[in-house]
Amino acid sequence: MGPVSVWQWSPWGLLLCLLCSSCLGSPSPSPSVGPEKRAGSQGLRFRLAGFPRKPFEGRVEIQRAGEWGTICDDDFTLQAAHVLCRELGFTEATGWTHSAKYGPGTGRIWLDNLSCSGTERSVTECASRGWGNSDCTHDEDAGVICKDQRLPGFSDSNVIEVEHHLQVEEVRLRPAVGWGRRPLPVTEGLVEVRLPDGWSKVCDKSWSSHNSHVVCGMLGFPSEKRVNVAFYRLLAQRQQHSFGLHGVACVGTEAHLSLCTLEFYRANDTTRCPGGGPAVVSCVPGPLYAASSGQKKQQQSKPQGEARVRLKGGAHPGEGRVEVLKAGTWGTVCDRKWDLQAASVVCRELGFGSAREALSGARMGQGMGAIHLSEVRCSGQESSLWKCPHKNITAEDCSHGQDAGVRCNLPYTGVETKIRLSGGRSRHEGRVEVQIGGPGPLRWGLICGDDWGTLEAMVACRQLGLGYANHGLQETWYWDSGNITEVVMSGVRCTGTEMSLDQCAHHGTHIACKRTETRFTAGVICSETASDLLLHSALVQETAYIEDRPLHMLYCAAEENCLARSARSANWPYGHRRLLRFSSQIHNLGRADFRPKAGRHSWVWHECHGHYHSMDIFTHYDILTPNGTKVAEGHKASFCLEDTECQEGELDQSKMDHSNSNP
């Protein structure tokens, strides 16, 4: 007797289901049966499809009744991805994708609103709308990223590999002259694609600006420009070229060249690209990567309007939570229907290339305040996210747990090869060593620790690709590696926004260091996550008031260093002091807890207010006149951190809301 299925919700149907399951039971799988022969999966076959992808990731496709189909991403979760990865023979899932990241499928959409707990032995045990019942399109096809580890004893008979096609995974620009000596990033050159047998050129017949736009986006550049084709044709006549592609047809909105229509040469093609030459592309770098002074001047001469899109919460350039400016207020974007086209519009608008990933589910941390946009549908040709069709949103429609984010393609600059850390306990910490040129070969050296601080450490960690700076250290005797002892850089002063230490002000070839011993050289401790504090400024304005308070009532405030420096010269305990008092509310929007630098074991008990605190000052308040003159100052210290409660329903400690009154 086959399994009983109840399709209509009724008390009798429920009773029938319970009776049948209690009487018949379900057969236990034989211990000798491999994972590919689970009872629930009989008659189904699974495969990973789409491009670009690795062997353990892709669009999930299921064959049922002889017909291949896909799964809609509505209500899809990591738990469902775990079940599907096990169906495919992998141990578990490490992630999942939405909005047809690996390209839209064809045929039926077999499953919609798939809901799994993650422990099911088969996808048939998960709840859904039923086989073939869906209101989705293939633009909503779900994909999975599985851990690259196979289940023991798994047979690949249940994994149907997609028919093999040549695809392009990597693209680069090769300068026609001076290869290896040109400054990075390379913005113009011959297009080369990596195929299984090596790097090959692309025939320029029917090559279009749309193709160039896609190539530049992959390489981290927002746009392309025209090239001197005649020069390159003349140069090509003197060189031998190996062509692998004879046809590329892009619309211009693709995030990857593999999504374009490609025509490959066959192995037995003896005549390749007759009458043509290698395709050439010239890209325009964004403001952060303008390589020459001419490009910088050209970009600076263009009128710069107010930025209406920004990225927050990302540890690296070109990634973060998408925030947009509306009516003078920054807000986030809901991830409904968020896809690579919309993400690419954001990336190019900010001066990067096309999007590498469109992130959902507040992967870059939750924002606060308004959610301005939802269901953004870009074609990929828009110059700004605001020009894409979208829906305005109300608080009931979306939450900050659905904030959209992006990871953009960036140009390769090679700056990470000119810096390294030594002596640390992990790759995220150590003494900073930099590579410099000069007379003779390149050599490694140390940085003088004088005036080295957080801003300089921020740039060093960014150049290393290690995210944020936790600490910038002026003494590193405990990281003594012993091999490198020469100080080659001093007087480093950064604003914190530079991409490498070379861009910061420094003494150049003249080294001036007050303490020349190796122990006083610069070090850093980097972190992939960090806190991000945001003051609720409106609350300060609403609660601020002036109070004249006798000095004899301010001994506690003075003991805890809560008064401005000018209070030290007051005539204690006589007289008064005028205070600006207000309540403050500080939100942590980052992806790490905000903690004082001093550990709790070193905190001091203060009888005045009856609590421990470390007196780490983390906020400064200055009162300025309209012309910018400072007339008063104040600060906030970390005694409020440990005794603050999270907002109702907020489980993530990194989103804690710290509020108290400022004396």
Side-chain angles (χ1 to χ4, degrees):
M1 183 175 180
V4 176
S5 299
V6 180
W7 296 101
Q8 294 183 348
W9 180 256
S10 69
W12 295 109
L14 179 60
L15 178 61
L16 177 63
C17 180
L18 293 174
L19 286 174
C20 290
S21 62
S22 62
C23 297
L24 298 175
S26 57
S28 300
S30 170
S32 62
V33 175
E36 79 283 1
K37 295 184 179 180
R38 301 181 186 90
S41 298
Q42 287 182 358
L44 300 180
R45 307 174 83 182
F46 299 82
R47 70 183 181 189
L48 294 173
F51 295 99
R53 67 179 184 87
K54 297 176 181 177
F56 48 85
E57 65 176 329
R59 181 179 64 248
V60 180
E61 296 191 351
I62 304 176
Q63 188 186 53
R64 185 175 188 267
E67 185 177 358
W68 285 101
T70 62
I71 301 175
C72 180
D73 61 11
D74 288 353
D75 297 332
F76 200 89
T77 63
L78 185 62
Q79 285 69 34
H82 282 313
V83 176
L84 288 164
C85 283
R86 289 196 295 271
E87 294 272 27
L88 289 158
F90 299 96
T91 55
E92 61 180 332
T94 60
W96 64 277
T97 66
H98 60 95
S99 304
K101 175 185 175 181
Y102 301 102
T106 57
R108 300 283 294 274
I109 298 178
W110 279 122
L111 293 173
D112 191 1
N113 299 113
L114 184 65
S115 177
C116 306
S117 67
T119 60
E120 294 86 352
R121 294 178 301 168
S122 166
V123 72
T124 58
E125 299 176 12
C126 300
S128 70
R129 296 179 61 163
W131 289 99
N133 184 10
S134 172
D135 59 359
C136 297
T137 67
H138 282 295
D139 288 334
E140 301 169 82
D141 284 344
V144 295
I145 305 168
C146 303
K147 185 176 182 180
D148 191 14
Q149 182 178 342
R150 285 288 188 178
L151 287 169
F154 188 87
S155 171
D156 281 346
S157 62
N158 199 38
V159 182
I160 311 301
E161 295 294 339
V162 181
E163 182 182 354
H164 179 69
H165 294 287
L166 282 174
Q167 289 294 325
V168 173
E169 292 189 4
E170 291 185 67
V171 176
R172 71 183 182 188
L173 294 182
R174 185 182 183 93
V177 292
W179 174 251
R181 299 189 300 273
R182 300 289 292 272
L184 296 175
V186 176
T187 59
E188 181 174 307
L190 310 181
V191 180
E192 292 190 337
V193 294
R194 188 168 190 171
L195 301 178
D197 56 350
W199 290 94
S200 298
K201 304 289 192 305
V202 181
C203 183
D204 66 355
K205 286 189 173 181
S206 302
W207 186 265
S208 69
S209 60
H210 294 316
N211 300 346
S212 299
H213 193 68
V214 173
V215 169
C216 288
M218 287 182 63
L219 296 174
F221 303 109
S223 59
E224 74 291 343
K225 63 181 181 180
R226 298 181 64 179
V227 295
N228 186 347
V229 178
F231 166 76
Y232 283 97
R233 281 289 180 93
L234 182 63
L235 201 62
Q237 295 175 3
R238 307 174 185 177
Q239 299 174 342
Q240 293 291 327
H241 297 289
S242 172
F243 292 97
L245 272 170
H246 70 83
V248 178
C250 300
V251 177
T253 60
E254 297 88 349
H256 196 283
L257 198 66
S258 286
L259 301 176
C260 303
T261 301
L262 307 177
E263 297 180 19
F264 295 84
Y265 283 107
R266 293 185 294 270
N268 58 356
D269 288 335
T270 55
T271 304
R272 300 193 175 192
C273 201
V280 181
V281 165
S282 182
C283 303
V284 179
L288 278 177
Y289 302 95
S292 67
S293 59
Q295 288 173 316
K296 288 182 179 179
K297 289 179 181 178
Q298 183 180 4
Q299 290 181 353
Q300 289 173 355
S301 64
K302 296 180 181 179
Q304 297 291 329
E306 183 183 17
R308 299 187 66 195
V309 178
R310 69 183 184 186
L311 300 181
K312 300 289 286 185
H316 307 283
E319 70 173 27
R321 177 179 63 253
V322 179
E323 296 190 353
V324 294
L325 184 65
K326 180 180 181 182
T329 303
W330 287 99
T332 61
V333 178
C334 184
D335 64 8
R336 290 181 183 171
K337 300 189 182 301
W338 186 250
D339 58 14
L340 276 176
Q341 276 69 38
S344 292
V345 170
V346 170
C347 290
R348 291 184 189 271
E349 183 177 359
L350 294 172
F352 304 107
S354 53
R356 186 160 48 94
E357 289 184 79
L359 304 174
S360 61
R363 291 268 301 279
M364 288 294 169
Q366 296 185 19
M368 65 174 292
I371 301 175
H372 286 325
L373 303 178
S374 180
E375 297 189 25
V376 180
R377 302 300 285 173
C378 301
S379 68
Q381 298 175 335
E382 297 85 354
S383 59
S384 171
L385 190 68
W386 283 103
K387 295 184 178 180
C388 300
H390 60 269
K391 289 185 178 180
N392 293 323
I393 194 166
T394 62
E396 293 77 21
D397 292 332
C398 203
S399 69
H400 283 298
Q402 297 169 269
D403 285 343
V406 297
R407 283 197 179 100
C408 305
N409 286 318
L410 306 179
Y412 176 72
T413 60
V415 294
E416 72 279 3
T417 64
K418 299 178 181 179
I419 187 172
R420 67 188 184 189
L421 300 181
S422 65
R425 296 163 296 180
S426 72
R427 70 184 189 93
H428 287 87
E429 67 177 27
R431 180 178 287 164
V432 180
E433 298 179 0
V434 292
Q435 188 183 60
I436 64 167
L442 297 174
R443 68 188 192 278
W444 289 93
L446 305 175
I447 299 176
C448 177
D450 294 349
D451 300 321
W452 180 267
T454 302
L455 294 178
E456 290 72 33
M458 286 171 59
V459 177
C461 291
R462 182 179 300 123
Q463 184 176 353
L464 286 159
L466 297 178
Y468 303 100
N470 273 352
H471 300 286
L473 304 167
Q474 297 183 0
E475 288 192 45
T476 54
W477 54 268
Y478 39 83
W479 285 335
D480 188 8
S481 58
N483 297 327
I484 305 297
T485 58
E486 181 188 6
V487 175
V488 297
M489 184 179 286
S490 64
V492 181
R493 288 294 183 90
C494 304
T495 63
T497 60
E498 296 88 350
M499 301 299 293
S500 68
L501 290 174
D502 285 342
Q503 298 175 357
C504 300
H506 57 87
H507 290 157
T509 57
H510 174 69
I511 305 301
C513 196
K514 297 176 183 177
R515 299 176 295 182
T516 57
E517 299 95 329
T518 305
R519 61 176 293 180
F520 296 114
T521 53
V524 295
I525 300 177
C526 305
S527 173
E528 289 290 338
T529 59
S531 54
D532 184 10
L533 303 186
L534 181 65
L535 175 68
H536 188 349
S537 56
L539 182 64
V540 174
Q541 295 176 354
E542 293 168 3
T543 60
Y545 64 95
I546 298 291
E547 178 185 6
D548 288 332
R549 198 168 182 85
L551 284 177
H552 68 83
M553 298 179 65
L554 292 175
Y555 276 110
C556 282
E559 177 192 341
E560 295 184 344
N561 195 29
C562 289
L563 299 178
R565 288 190 296 266
S566 59
R568 299 170 188 169
S569 58
N571 186 23
W572 293 84
Y574 308 105
H576 293 73
R577 188 162 184 85
R578 175 158 291 183
L579 305 176
L580 175 66
R581 306 201 65 179
F582 53 87
S583 295
S584 66
Q585 195 176 73
I586 300 172
H587 298 266
N588 181 5
L589 303 185
R591 292 187 288 158
D593 291 341
F594 177 69
R595 299 287 178 183
K597 295 179 181 179
R600 294 181 63 179
H601 63 279
S602 63
W603 287 27
V604 178
W605 175 263
H606 283 267
E607 291 288 348
C608 290
H609 293 151
H611 57 223
Y612 288 95
H613 64 81
S614 68
M615 281 318 304
D616 282 343
I617 297 172
F618 65 88
T619 304
H620 290 271
Y621 299 94
D622 293 334
I623 300 177
L624 309 177
T625 63
N627 64 3
T629 304
K630 184 168 75 171
V631 295
E633 64 181 5
H635 58 256
K636 178 177 285 297
S638 60
F639 64 82
C640 62
L641 288 177
E642 289 293 329
D643 56 2
T644 299
E645 296 181 357
C646 291
Q647 295 182 12
E648 183 179 356
E650 187 64 79
L651 299 178
D652 190 347
Q653 290 185 348
S654 65
K655 307 297 184 297
M656 290 184 70
D657 167 23
H658 312 300
S659 59
N660 72 308
S661 295
N662 236 29

